[in-house]
Amino acid sequence: MALVLGGTGYVGGRLIPRLITAGYRVRLLTRNRTRLDSTPWTGSVDIVEGDASDPAAMTRAMQGVTVAFHLVHSMSAGKDFESLDRDIARTVARAAGEANVQRIIYLGGLHPDNVELSHHLASRKEVGDVLLNSTTPTIVLQAGVIIGSGSASFEMVRHLTDVLPFMPAPRWVRNRIQPISIRDILYYLLAAARVEGDHNRAFDIGGPDVLRYCDMMNGYGAVAGLPHRYIVALPVLTPRLASHWVGLVTPVPRRIARPLVESLQHDCVMKNHDIDAIIPPPTTGLTPYKRSVELALARIELDDVETSWVDARVPLAPSDPMPSDPDWSGRTVNQDTRERIAIAPPDEVWTVIMQIGGDTGWYSAPFLWAARGLIDRFFGGVGLQRGRRSRSTLRVGDAVDFWRVEQVDPGRLVRLRAEMRLPGQAWLELGVEPDPQGSKYTQRAVFIPKGLSGRLYWLAMLPFHGLIFSGMSNRIVSLAQGELSEPEKP
């Protein structure tokens, strides 16, 4: 039995199906099991609902477990992420000891010795130390920048290089780092579970190439067919300013960009290759950086991104599902409801609905959506650049720009919950049902204001709703009926 903590994250979501294929019985601890309903492996795992910081939930999850994978990182959970990660590590260590778990495997971060580490790397190291000091033998795998479709580090490199032919950059672009492919991360995680003996130590892991960050950018550009990018290192760009810059240029919001940027302040390369003594490299060799980029771009082109950094929840965003109508009594609830009859079968309307957001846009007033996204990014939100994991399908838990998929009833209804900065809570429902003339498209925007500011916000937005929501419903129906050739781009 293998327990995966962080199974809905970028690495964990890829590890689980590979554990199943390798013959493990897999258990997953998750805050909300409905997020897993649309994953292809849901029926093959044992799901325990609860929070990783809850000792009772962790105790239930550890029962009968042989090996526990700790893949939880809370760097996007706000200023107190270090304390949260420390508490989770102590909870994991205690529950694993009580359940006689044979091994803990933790994915930490590659870091230098004898320097002041960033808050992010220091927290990763502290978590590893907590687990190593527990009564359960622990293998800590310390990895550098992960390259793969959907990883936050890869998205930073990709968008910075795509957008900027010339880039004034912080001095850290000259630092040496050792990136590693996501496929090699998964190789080491799986192999660590099979290692014989009670090993209890940290091991550095990395790919075959040691590069400067600027070389990574131009290496990506060479694979993507872009001209050489000119990068000038400046001493004045602090991590704070650099994270704001990354937040504006790339889909990665500054609350995630900042810890990533801070972790690049020093050379981060393998100090030794001790890992080879217990886990030999893959028989075909570790994946070179440019090959990792080729594989990531191929996945994106085929619309086959397995997991993405956007799967992580947004701190301070609403996490509860939309209340049912009877629970609204006594509250102020604002709604905008639209219905249209389409001379098209329901599946044609559903196909159009499933493509909303990301590169497709929102089917109406692209300049208004773009402005709202910029305002959200300015105030520290995720904005519109976050996009979506897949161009053609949605599943519960997916991010769609500054929305999160809360419910999917295939062929009938999709509900999105707002994760933008708002003085209240907001949802958007898009649905279709059969009709004698073809199908009926329904669209409902719901806003539950918080205080006076929420009520004023709704009133301020009213003049734009006719343009935004009416245009959206009209265009979706027109596209389904074949009256338009393609969605309106933002």
Side-chain angles (χ1 to χ4, degrees):
M1 171 74 77
L3 171 65
V4 180
L5 304 173
T8 58
Y10 178 70
V11 176
R14 301 191 181 206
L15 176 65
I16 287 172
R18 289 158 178 81
L19 284 170
I20 295 170
T21 301
Y24 288 87
R25 291 181 298 125
V26 178
R27 179 176 293 155
L28 176 64
L29 177 66
T30 180
R31 288 181 293 269
N32 184 358
R33 66 187 304 139
T34 60
R35 285 191 61 182
L36 306 172
D37 288 346
S38 55
T39 56
W41 39 260
T42 301
S44 302
V45 299
D46 178 25
I47 300 174
V48 174
E49 200 163 30
D51 195 281
S53 61
D54 179 10
M58 189 64 70
T59 297
R60 293 196 308 271
M62 286 287 183
Q63 295 305 308
V65 167
T66 305
V67 57
F69 292 89
H70 189 325
L71 307 175
V72 176
H73 304 300
S74 307
M75 68 179 183
S76 64
K79 296 181 179 179
D80 203 28
F81 75 92
E82 295 161 288
S83 175
L84 177 59
D85 276 349
R86 184 187 312 117
D87 291 343
I88 291 175
R90 290 170 176 168
T91 301
V92 170
R94 186 182 307 112
E98 293 172 352
N100 295 317
V101 173
Q102 294 180 15
R103 176 172 295 155
I104 298 172
I105 299 170
Y106 173 63
L107 182 60
L110 204 58
H111 61 271
D113 293 329
N114 304 317
V115 299
E116 184 178 354
L117 298 176
S118 68
H119 293 294
H120 169 52
L121 281 180
S123 177
R124 300 281 286 272
K125 182 179 183 301
E126 182 184 22
V127 168
D129 290 342
V130 169
L131 298 175
L132 289 170
N133 290 326
S134 71
T135 59
T136 304
T138 299
I139 293 178
V140 176
L141 300 174
Q142 299 178 152
V145 172
I146 299 177
I147 303 300
S149 59
S151 83
S153 298
F154 176 69
E155 291 302 307
M156 274 181 54
V157 171
R158 182 164 78 98
H159 284 85
L160 286 171
T161 311
D162 282 345
V163 173
L164 302 173
F166 172 80
M167 179 180 172
R171 286 177 296 182
W172 50 256
V173 297
R174 300 294 184 190
N175 289 342
R176 297 185 310 140
I177 52 181
Q178 194 163 358
I180 182 169
S181 168
I182 180 61
R183 60 169 48 192
D184 292 334
I185 289 284
L186 297 171
Y187 166 80
Y188 279 115
L189 287 171
L190 285 166
R194 298 191 294 264
V195 168
E196 296 182 0
D198 290 339
H199 299 276
N200 190 70
R201 60 160 293 186
F203 296 92
D204 291 351
I205 60 173
D209 300 316
V210 176
L211 305 166
R212 301 183 189 277
Y213 198 84
C214 55
D215 296 329
M216 283 181 59
M217 293 178 65
N218 275 310
Y220 163 84
V223 175
L226 300 173
H228 182 81
R229 274 21 188 171
Y230 295 93
I231 303 169
V232 178
L234 301 178
V236 295
L237 284 178
T238 64
R240 180 183 177 86
L241 289 174
S243 63
H244 280 282
W245 176 247
V246 170
L248 287 173
V249 176
T250 80
V252 182
R254 67 172 181 258
R255 75 170 62 87
I256 294 178
R258 183 165 184 175
L260 293 177
V261 167
E262 289 177 341
S263 67
L264 299 169
Q265 298 304 301
H266 307 284
D267 289 348
C268 283
V269 299
M270 294 176 65
K271 297 180 287 294
N272 57 63
H273 289 265
D274 292 355
I275 188 66
D276 295 347
I278 65 167
I279 303 177
T283 54
T284 56
L286 294 166
T287 312
Y289 171 69
K290 287 189 176 181
R291 178 58 180 159
S292 301
V293 173
E294 290 174 354
L295 293 168
L297 290 178
R299 286 277 191 174
I300 294 170
E301 181 64 26
L302 293 172
D303 194 21
D304 189 26
V305 178
E306 193 174 352
T307 59
S308 172
W309 67 272
V310 301
D311 296 335
R313 69 173 179 173
V314 175
L316 304 180
S319 57
D320 295 328
M322 184 169 71
S324 58
D325 290 359
D327 293 336
W328 288 354
S329 57
R331 303 197 210 184
T332 298
V333 178
N334 304 113
Q335 297 188 66
D336 184 292
T337 303
R338 312 271 169 167
E339 292 185 355
R340 285 285 311 275
I341 299 299
I343 308 173
D347 61 323
E348 294 290 342
V349 180
W350 183 250
T351 297
V352 178
I353 291 173
M354 282 289 96
Q355 296 172 359
I356 198 167
D359 292 338
T360 298
W362 292 85
Y363 298 121
S364 68
F367 59 95
L368 291 178
W369 285 101
R372 187 62 182 86
L374 288 174
I375 292 170
D376 195 51
R377 292 302 285 260
F378 180 80
F379 286 101
V382 293
L384 282 180
Q385 295 184 77
R386 187 168 59 165
R388 45 185 287 171
R389 178 188 56 84
S390 167
R391 293 189 296 268
S392 57
T393 61
L394 293 175
R395 66 188 187 193
V396 174
D398 277 358
V400 184
D401 296 330
F402 44 40
W403 303 86
R404 179 78 59 179
V405 180
E406 182 176 275
Q407 179 180 342
V408 178
D409 294 338
R412 195 185 73 84
L413 175 78
V414 61
R415 178 186 296 153
L416 307 175
R417 184 183 69 242
E419 290 190 328
M420 67 191 86
R421 294 300 177 94
L422 285 171
Q425 296 176 287
W427 293 264
L428 178 63
E429 287 185 341
L430 310 174
V432 63
E433 59 186 66
D435 183 86
Q437 298 183 55
S439 55
K440 182 172 75 171
Y441 169 74
T442 59
Q443 175 182 296
R444 181 170 68 148
V446 176
F447 181 67
I448 301 178
K450 182 179 180 180
L452 177 61
S453 60
R455 289 162 172 79
L456 293 175
Y457 173 83
W458 179 261
L459 292 174
M461 292 299 295
L462 278 178
F464 304 104
H465 287 173
L467 180 61
I468 294 172
F469 294 129
S470 177
M472 178 187 294
S473 61
N474 291 340
R475 194 167 183 84
I476 286 175
V477 169
S478 296
L479 284 165
Q481 295 176 157
E483 298 171 4
L484 298 173
S485 58
E486 61 180 20
E488 185 177 5
K489 300 292 183 179

